[in-house]
Amino acid sequence: MNTEEKDSVVINTAGGKFEGDPTSLLSSVYADLGALTDQANVYALYEQTTDEMLPPTRGVDWGDNGVWRTLHQHTWDPTHQQILDSWNQLNQRAFKCNQILASNPSDAQAAEAKFMRAFFMFYVMDLYGQVPFRNVDEGVDVNPKVMTRSEAFDFIVNDLNEALPNLSVRGPSADNGKASKASANFLLAKLYLNKAVYKSSVAEGPYTFDKADMDKVIGYVDAITADGYSLEPQYFDNFRTIASKELIFTSPSGTAQNRIYMTLHYDQNPSGWNGFTTVADFYAKFEDSDTRKHGESIAPLGKNFYGIKRGFLIGQQYKDDGTPLTDSRTQKPLVFTPDVPLSGAATNKGIRVIKYHPADQGKYIFFRYADAYLMKAEAIMRGGSSGQTALQLVNNLRAVRGASALGTVDATAMLDERGRELYWEGVRRTDQIRFGTFTSTWAEKTVTEPFRVLFPIPQQALDSNPNLAPNPGY
């Protein structure tokens, strides 16, 4: 047996066949989810490119040769390192699922492998619009075939439909780190909600949403509800170590700590990296009564981490003993301000975000019931049939979150509500593209080139596989 590497994917070859241990390979695939909890790469492509996150450069901090700024400004090109790293991470993991399926797995193991392959291929399809695919019996001298976005959509849906009968029923749990019927139904709902995008002959749209697709979304979400999921009354309990009513699929490896360190100031406890902030216009979308905006500290005064609140951190910041914090670099009070430039930002500029708290951070969440709930509301708004209206669903959610009722729900209101509920959870880019706002302007972002709804195929991938072609505009 020999081992070769091509496109950063390790392939074992032995006479054109592959034999592995499906149990260990499946465990490895789940462990690989930890890479998606990082602040860079896949997460950055979904958040730094949107209207809810800003990556300010502070002196020499966070310059990093412009990798963060170019994402926010939509000025990336095919050589961007995080675009390449994301491509490699996702395709490596999809190929490992192929290895499981070629290793005589049980029906249950095959179902989990198909779900995980669908999970990783979904991200490749969504981000890049082309999906390479290599069978395990193909040597490294065979260039992977490439699916179009439409073909990939059909392939992923088929994987999920084949997996569903042999996936287990799992209700809400603080540790939902394995594939289940609910997680497959969630991904199917997301696929059909975005089907108009993935099947469009023009990536940037406009998109036409089919009633039959919206009805499927509603059916998949109803199936999730039937498995015991519901809205968690206490919003920030979703991100704690307790068994929230909403957690459908979490990462069994990695932690949520990067979400904490990437935003906190270095003089706070814990000492952060003084990095990412939200955008003032996004923060302004919340009512003061909305419990998603500000939560209380969970620690008693004087205890470790008391100084960190939940939600958006703005204004004077405090030590654990309740006394005001001073910025050690400027010797001024540490006061977070809404205004923040992309370059040359002072150390205190920008509103910080804490959903996972350092005192009781839970598992990193990929799929949460409130997302599915709002997918159903959106599907109704787009013409799907249900005994409920989109307005009823949205206002029910807002009531649970302490926000006032809306009088109507249109596309703008629906996108805003998804932002308020799901901010910094890695879904904003897909939402903005579906709602047609990804190519508009916002703070520190003026580029409106429509082809930016797809990332470029990385130059290294183009050089190694002639079946790939550059995406339009690149």
Side-chain angles (χ1 to χ4, degrees):
M1 179 180 291
N2 66 298
T3 301
E4 300 183 42
E5 185 170 335
K6 185 173 183 178
D7 294 340
S8 301
V9 178
V10 176
I11 301 166
N12 297 315
T13 60
K17 297 181 180 179
F18 178 88
E19 293 183 5
D21 176 6
T23 301
S24 61
L25 283 169
L26 190 57
S27 295
S28 177
V29 165
Y30 284 126
D32 284 343
L33 287 168
L36 275 64
T37 70
D38 188 74
Q39 78 276 4
N41 301 328
V42 174
Y43 180 77
L45 300 191
Y46 278 96
E47 287 293 345
Q48 296 289 2
T49 58
T50 74
D51 63 352
E52 66 181 25
M53 184 178 287
L54 195 75
T57 299
R58 306 175 192 275
V60 297
D61 295 341
W62 293 101
D64 297 340
N65 297 316
V67 296
W68 306 104
R69 292 193 303 275
T70 56
L71 288 179
H72 187 80
Q73 293 176 312
H74 289 210
T75 56
W76 57 75
D77 64 30
T79 66
H80 195 287
Q81 189 63 45
Q82 295 197 30
I83 294 174
L84 171 63
D85 289 346
S86 299
W87 171 270
N88 285 337
Q89 285 178 345
L90 294 167
N91 283 303
Q92 286 171 13
R93 287 151 176 77
F95 182 77
K96 190 179 290 185
C97 296
N98 293 349
Q99 292 178 319
I100 298 170
L101 292 167
S103 300
N104 194 30
S106 68
D107 289 345
Q109 289 172 327
E112 291 185 53
K114 286 185 177 183
F115 167 79
M116 292 305 299
R117 182 167 68 179
F119 179 86
F120 293 121
M121 289 180 66
F122 166 81
Y123 283 110
V124 180
M125 175 190 68
D126 185 69
L127 292 168
Y128 302 97
Q130 300 178 55
V131 181
F133 189 89
R134 183 196 293 278
N135 291 308
V136 297
D137 60 353
E138 294 175 328
V140 295
D141 56 334
V142 177
N143 293 313
K145 69 178 182 180
V146 176
M147 299 182 199
T148 66
R149 207 178 202 186
S150 178
E151 291 169 339
F153 176 92
D154 294 339
F155 187 96
I156 294 166
V157 167
N158 185 67
D159 257 358
L160 292 170
N161 284 330
E162 289 185 352
L164 262 171
N166 292 307
L167 290 173
S168 62
V169 176
R170 289 173 61 90
S173 169
D175 185 11
N176 246 345
K178 287 191 174 182
S180 66
K181 289 186 185 298
S183 59
N185 282 319
F186 183 101
L187 189 49
L188 281 164
K190 189 165 187 173
L191 282 158
Y192 277 97
L193 187 64
N194 290 280
K195 183 179 176 182
V197 177
Y198 304 141
K199 289 288 186 175
S200 175
S201 59
V202 181
E204 63 269 22
Y207 313 119
T208 301
F209 297 89
D210 191 283
K211 179 186 183 303
D213 295 332
M214 298 302 102
D215 287 341
K216 284 183 177 291
V217 174
I218 293 166
Y220 291 129
V221 176
D222 286 346
I224 297 170
T225 306
D227 282 346
Y229 294 89
S230 60
L231 295 174
E232 176 60 50
Q234 302 299 322
Y235 181 68
F236 288 105
D237 281 357
N238 286 303
F239 310 98
R240 297 174 61 192
T241 54
I242 61 176
S244 162
K245 297 178 176 64
E246 294 195 27
L247 304 191
I248 297 172
F249 187 49
T250 62
S251 179
S253 67
T255 72
Q257 69 177 9
N258 277 33
R259 300 293 170 267
I260 299 169
Y261 289 114
M262 73 185 198
T263 191
L264 288 181
H265 189 275
Y266 35 71
D267 287 318
Q268 292 181 286
N269 180 29
S271 178
W273 306 328
N274 202 33
F276 310 138
T277 76
T278 196
V279 174
D281 289 343
F282 183 80
Y283 175 76
K285 296 179 184 293
F286 291 80
E287 297 176 341
D288 287 341
S289 63
D290 196 324
T291 57
R292 299 169 294 192
K293 185 177 183 179
H294 297 298
E296 295 301 315
S297 172
I298 55 88
L301 177 63
K303 297 295 183 179
N304 204 24
F305 306 130
Y306 170 82
I308 303 300
K309 308 297 183 183
R310 300 185 192 275
F312 295 94
L313 309 185
I314 186 171
Q316 176 68 56
Q317 301 302 297
Y318 295 88
K319 299 178 182 179
D320 290 339
D321 63 6
T323 58
L325 263 172
T326 298
D327 185 330
S328 59
R329 292 193 183 181
T330 65
Q331 297 304 309
K332 295 179 180 179
L334 183 58
V335 178
F336 292 152
T337 64
D339 61 302
V340 54
L342 188 59
S343 299
T347 56
N348 68 312
K349 293 294 185 180
I351 302 167
R352 315 307 165 89
V353 176
I354 293 293
K355 298 188 90 164
Y356 300 93
H357 196 279
D360 62 354
Q361 58 184 306
K363 293 288 185 179
Y364 186 81
I365 302 167
F366 291 117
F367 297 165
R368 185 160 68 83
Y369 181 72
D371 189 349
Y373 184 90
L374 285 172
M375 284 196 279
K376 178 178 178 178
E378 183 182 337
I380 296 170
M381 182 195 76
R382 295 191 187 279
S385 298
S386 173
Q388 300 165 291
T389 67
L391 182 62
Q392 287 172 336
L393 289 174
V394 169
N395 278 338
N396 180 58
L397 173 69
R398 289 177 60 80
V400 172
R401 304 303 188 221
S404 63
L406 301 178
T408 59
V409 172
D410 58 9
T412 299
M414 187 67 73
L415 178 61
D416 285 348
E417 198 60 39
R418 285 189 60 82
R420 285 185 286 263
E421 180 66 28
L422 301 165
Y423 62 94
W424 283 38
E425 293 185 45
V427 301
R428 188 63 173 178
R429 171 188 169 275
T430 305
D431 285 352
Q432 284 200 274
I433 290 172
R434 185 174 68 257
F435 281 88
T437 67
F438 193 68
T439 56
S440 59
T441 61
W442 52 80
E444 301 288 344
K445 186 264 193 186
T446 58
V447 173
T448 58
E449 294 167 329
F451 66 83
R452 299 281 174 182
V453 297
L454 286 176
F455 286 104
I457 305 301
Q459 189 59 52
Q460 287 186 24
L462 291 170
D463 293 342
S464 64
N465 184 1
N467 293 330
L468 291 163
N471 279 331
Y474 299 105

